[in-house]
Amino acid sequence: MPPAVIKTIPKPLTLFNAFSDVSARTTRLPLDGRRYISAYGYTQAKALIYPKYGEPKDVLDLHTHSISPSHSTQLTLRLLTAPINPADINQIQGVYPSKAPFTSLLGPPQPSAVAGNEGCAEVLSAGSGCKTVTKGDWVVMKYTSQGTWRTHMQVDESKVLKIEDRSGLNATQVGTVSVNPCTAYRMLRDFVDLDAEKGDWFMQNGANSGVGRAAIQLGRLWGYKSINVVRDRPGVEELKSELRELGATVVVTEDELMRKEFAPRVREWTHGGREKVRLGLNCVGGKPASALAKILSPEAHMVTYGAMSKHPLQIPAGMLIFKNLVYAGFWVSKWSDANPEEKKRTVEEVLQLTREGKFKDVPVQEVPWNWETKKEELVEAVQGTLEGFRKGKGVFVFGDS
């Protein structure tokens, strides 16, 4: 690093950061706008924080602080990628069950939380007590609400999962594996023992979502047939073709699903009903979810993991009395926090499939985040995820930070 970039600053007060185990304080950038590391080894970082719940455009702020050198079992991480997931937005809005902790220990004007739950990070340094992770390793978060929308963070070794083999993978693939692919994997495996030899089917709405695309691909690999529902939109035929190429057996629109002739079509696909539609995956709710449930075979499971329509899930009595459907919910955040070792195994299996070319990335829209990137650019990218049809999942890609 050129001498002009190195500045000596007074040793700051060490503070314990409750939500990411960071020793941090607020600092000022040098007049030339460049990032620096002090003579005491403090790393300067930036984070998207919010002091209260609300719309991202109204509450998010870009906060600069510094991180003390790693010690004991602490790791200093540099984020490589961090997705913008719907749950992240809901958390900022205050409508998500899992809440990120608010604290003053990063030095903001008022207690604030760091946004983001998922991401891929590189270990910059490790304390002398670290046993399983070392400098240069890639890691993902073991638990939720650790705050990944930041350039750097410090966290205890026990709160990350090491990527044992990152060969053949990029940071976007690793950074987006923990939520959507894990959700699809667990829902396909944990509720119904689908039998490929018997021709079992599953049916899902939101089939173009990250979870939907993952379910299509995993279902194809495991021999399950699938009926996939997408919203009507411009270019829907191209989308149908794209999903069929991923492995979808059938792709239909919500309008097709609602028609009276849809049930006879399903009987034709399932050879007169001899093949069973034993699992439904619902992330929409409202009438589309009720229409999906009507297609399921008796004794099937209907698993809800989202409510994109913001309309309640309605359960007609006949679905329970005459079809004996089982309704269940799945929340990957709760599952991940309760099953960290199983999460690690699931992550590693999906990444191995990715490495082998058997599992494709979800389409993404990269959002560059460099040291000079303005708050307005980052906030606009977050707010934009709430608007209509998008070409891909927003992902922060950290460059010169």
Side-chain angles (χ1 to χ4, degrees):
M1 181 180 294
V5 179
I6 300 177
K7 310 270 185 176
T8 301
I9 59 175
K11 187 174 182 178
L13 175 66
T14 299
L15 296 170
F16 181 75
N17 178 357
F19 56 76
S20 61
D21 300 332
V22 178
S23 299
R25 73 178 184 93
T26 303
T27 62
R28 293 184 178 180
L29 283 172
L31 295 179
D32 59 12
R34 291 177 289 175
R35 173 175 165 265
Y36 60 79
I37 298 176
S38 78
Y40 297 97
Y42 284 75
T43 300
Q44 199 166 78
K46 290 185 179 182
L48 275 175
I49 63 172
Y50 52 103
K52 61 181 180 180
Y53 298 124
E55 291 303 310
K57 62 182 177 61
D58 299 325
V59 299
L60 284 178
D61 192 22
L62 186 60
H63 178 66
T64 303
H65 60 285
S66 62
I67 300 174
S68 64
S70 300
H71 61 88
S72 186
T73 57
Q74 290 182 334
L75 304 169
T76 299
L77 308 179
R78 180 176 79 88
L79 273 296
L80 303 176
T81 57
I84 305 171
N85 289 312
D88 302 325
I89 307 296
N90 294 155
Q91 203 169 49
I92 295 168
Q93 294 168 329
V95 298
Y96 200 65
S98 175
K99 311 292 186 184
F102 287 73
T103 176
S104 297
L105 297 176
L106 278 184
Q110 53 186 309
S112 300
V114 179
N117 289 277
E118 188 182 21
C120 172
E122 178 186 9
V123 178
L124 291 184
S125 62
S128 59
C130 293
K131 304 298 183 183
T132 62
V133 182
T134 189
K135 180 179 179 181
D137 286 342
W138 281 11
V139 298
V140 297
M141 303 302 113
K142 182 181 286 188
Y143 305 109
T144 56
S145 300
Q146 291 184 241
T148 56
W149 292 1
R150 48 175 138 187
T151 61
H152 302 77
M153 64 188 295
Q154 195 170 89
V155 64
D156 193 84
E157 179 186 30
S158 64
K159 294 185 177 181
V160 300
L161 298 175
K162 176 183 174 181
I163 302 303
E164 300 295 344
D165 179 10
R166 73 187 204 209
S167 62
L169 301 170
N170 61 52
T172 298
Q173 292 167 332
V174 175
T176 56
V177 72
S178 300
V179 174
N180 293 335
C182 284
T183 297
Y185 188 110
R186 299 323 318 178
M187 290 193 300
L188 288 175
R189 288 298 205 197
D190 294 348
F191 292 89
V192 177
D193 185 16
L194 295 174
D195 191 333
E197 292 185 0
K198 292 182 179 179
D200 283 349
W201 292 66
F202 71 91
M203 183 174 178
Q204 64 171 341
N205 52 34
N208 187 42
S209 66
V211 173
R213 286 170 173 263
I216 287 171
Q217 296 181 80
L218 293 173
R220 173 180 55 81
L221 289 169
W222 297 335
Y224 309 150
K225 299 175 183 180
S226 62
I227 302 171
N228 302 273
V229 185
V230 297
R231 288 183 293 171
D232 298 273
R233 70 192 70 197
V236 71
E237 292 303 321
E238 289 80 359
L239 175 59
K240 286 183 176 182
S241 177
E242 181 183 351
L243 296 182
R244 285 194 293 266
E245 289 178 6
L246 285 180
T249 311
V250 176
V251 186
V252 299
T253 65
E254 285 186 354
D255 180 64
E256 291 176 273
L257 171 65
M258 298 294 187
R259 295 175 186 170
K260 292 181 179 180
E261 62 268 25
F262 186 72
R265 292 175 66 190
V266 174
R267 287 188 59 81
E268 181 181 342
W269 298 330
T270 59
H271 299 93
R274 290 190 296 275
E275 297 174 349
K276 306 302 181 183
V277 185
R278 300 185 58 213
L279 177 65
L281 307 180
N282 166 49
C283 67
V284 177
K287 292 181 178 180
S290 298
L292 189 155
K294 291 178 181 178
I295 300 301
L296 298 180
S297 302
E299 316 293 334
H301 280 61
M302 175 80 156
V303 183
T304 293
Y305 67 98
M308 291 171 55
S309 71
K310 298 184 179 180
H311 293 143
L313 178 65
Q314 299 178 347
I315 306 176
M319 296 293 108
L320 302 176
I321 299 171
F322 305 118
K323 295 186 72 174
N324 196 27
L325 296 187
V326 178
Y327 284 77
F330 182 75
W331 183 20
V332 72
S333 297
K334 184 178 181 180
W335 175 85
S336 297
D337 291 347
N339 302 278
E341 293 307 314
E342 188 64 26
K343 175 181 178 178
K344 182 177 176 65
R345 286 190 288 271
T346 304
V347 164
E348 289 177 344
E349 183 171 343
V350 174
L351 290 179
Q352 180 59 30
L353 293 173
T354 304
R355 188 181 292 110
E356 295 172 356
K358 297 178 181 178
F359 188 89
K360 293 184 179 180
D361 313 347
V362 64
V364 301
Q365 287 185 305
E366 294 187 355
V367 181
W369 184 338
N370 299 307
W371 188 254
E372 297 81 11
T373 302
K374 303 298 183 184
K375 178 188 79 171
E376 293 74 17
E377 299 174 45
L378 302 176
V379 173
E380 181 181 358
V382 175
Q383 190 68 33
T385 62
L386 300 173
E387 301 171 358
F389 299 112
R390 299 179 61 81
K391 295 181 180 179
K393 173 187 289 292
V395 177
F396 291 123
V397 178
F398 299 87
D400 180 19
S401 59

